[in-house]
Amino acid sequence: GSQKIAGITGKFGLGIKNEAGQRLIEFCQENELVVTNTLFQQHKRRLYTWTSPDGQHRNQTDYILCSQRWKSSIQSVKTRPGADCGSDHEVLIAKFRLKRKKVRKTIRPIMYDLNHIPYEYTVEVKNRFKGLDLVDRMPEKLWVEVHNIVQEVANKTIPRRKKCKKAKWLSDKALQIADEIREAKGKGERERFAQLNAEFQRRLT
């Protein structure tokens, strides 16, 4: 609703709060959350998140909740009425800015092609193991030496595993149907939109 509740909602909500809305408020109060949809003043078409099948009724029924601690990082929250999401609900987008903590770069492990281990790897590892001094050795130091031998010989003899290209998430036909869905929605062709959307969903499964 449009009534402001300190620390929980702003004054730019849409409609009147009902029983479900009150439960949401109580949930936010218990978990120190803020309803970000209500913080920014904008046109009503950017506020409503649901449209009835006949297009006559609109309401705000979907929300993005954020910890009160991060409230200042939220820059905007609004719907995208023209987006195709195969639903009578609108896509709701939040824009926020966070200061990222600098982390050290991790060294990615070498991926060996274990299906093509050459015979020379086995021979060299065996020969170098034979040269190890096993008498009165500390287990930790011996393990480090064994590890180094295996790694050095592997780097020299075993080929790297080739990266596999990821398959396309959507086929060309699915992308074509998505364009037709967008066209049908723009022209208000509800029956055609429903048929195309059903076909699109089948291709995703």
Side-chain angles (χ1 to χ4, degrees):
S2 57
Q3 182 181 0
K4 181 178 180 179
I5 300 176
I8 304 298
T9 68
K11 60 181 180 180
F12 302 113
L14 189 66
I16 300 173
K17 180 178 62 179
N18 57 15
E19 183 180 347
Q22 181 59 38
R23 289 199 300 269
L24 177 64
I25 295 300
E26 293 170 358
F27 175 81
C28 291
Q29 290 172 332
E30 291 175 4
N31 296 279
E32 298 183 345
L33 300 172
V34 59
V35 183
T36 61
N37 306 46
T38 63
L39 301 178
F40 305 95
Q41 185 176 14
Q42 49 199 338
H43 194 278
K44 285 187 176 181
R45 70 189 302 268
R46 294 294 190 178
L47 293 175
Y48 67 78
T49 63
W50 171 82
T51 304
S52 63
D54 59 7
Q56 298 300 312
H57 304 283
R58 295 181 173 88
N59 212 334
Q60 188 180 48
T61 59
D62 302 288
Y63 302 93
I64 293 180
L65 307 181
C66 171
S67 170
Q68 293 177 4
R69 177 185 177 188
W70 303 107
K71 177 182 175 181
S72 61
S73 67
I74 303 296
Q75 296 183 315
S76 69
V77 182
K78 56 187 175 182
T79 60
R80 290 296 178 89
D84 297 322
C85 58
S87 171
D88 52 2
H89 291 256
E90 307 294 349
V91 174
L92 185 60
I93 298 175
K95 182 179 179 181
F96 58 93
R97 178 180 294 173
L98 296 177
K99 186 177 180 180
R100 296 183 298 175
K101 183 179 179 182
K102 189 175 182 180
V103 295
R104 294 180 179 179
K105 291 185 177 180
T106 56
I107 300 175
R108 297 181 64 181
I110 299 174
M111 306 300 291
Y112 297 105
D113 185 355
L114 300 181
N115 293 321
H116 296 88
I117 299 177
Y119 179 67
E120 59 183 305
Y121 166 81
T122 305
V123 173
E124 185 167 349
V125 168
K126 283 184 178 180
N127 291 336
R128 293 185 61 173
F129 278 180
K130 288 179 182 179
L132 288 175
D133 183 9
L134 305 179
V135 180
D136 297 330
R137 296 290 303 277
M138 293 292 292
E140 294 81 4
K141 292 184 177 180
L142 184 59
W143 159 247
V144 171
E145 200 167 340
V146 169
H147 174 271
N148 290 341
I149 289 174
V150 171
Q151 192 170 49
E152 289 172 12
V153 178
N155 287 337
K156 187 169 60 173
T157 60
I158 301 178
R160 305 295 193 270
R161 192 169 67 189
K162 295 181 179 179
K163 291 183 179 180
C164 298
K165 290 185 178 180
K166 293 184 179 179
K168 290 176 66 176
W169 181 55
L170 291 177
S171 65
D172 292 337
K173 182 61 177 177
L175 291 173
Q176 179 185 340
I177 294 175
D179 290 336
E180 293 177 5
I181 289 174
R182 190 177 298 108
E183 179 185 354
K185 185 174 183 179
K187 293 181 178 179
E189 299 173 350
R190 294 184 176 277
E191 185 175 349
R192 180 168 173 251
F193 172 84
Q195 292 174 349
L196 289 169
N197 186 60
E199 174 63 19
F200 184 78
Q201 295 298 329
R202 283 195 295 271
R203 289 182 177 274
L204 293 181
T205 57

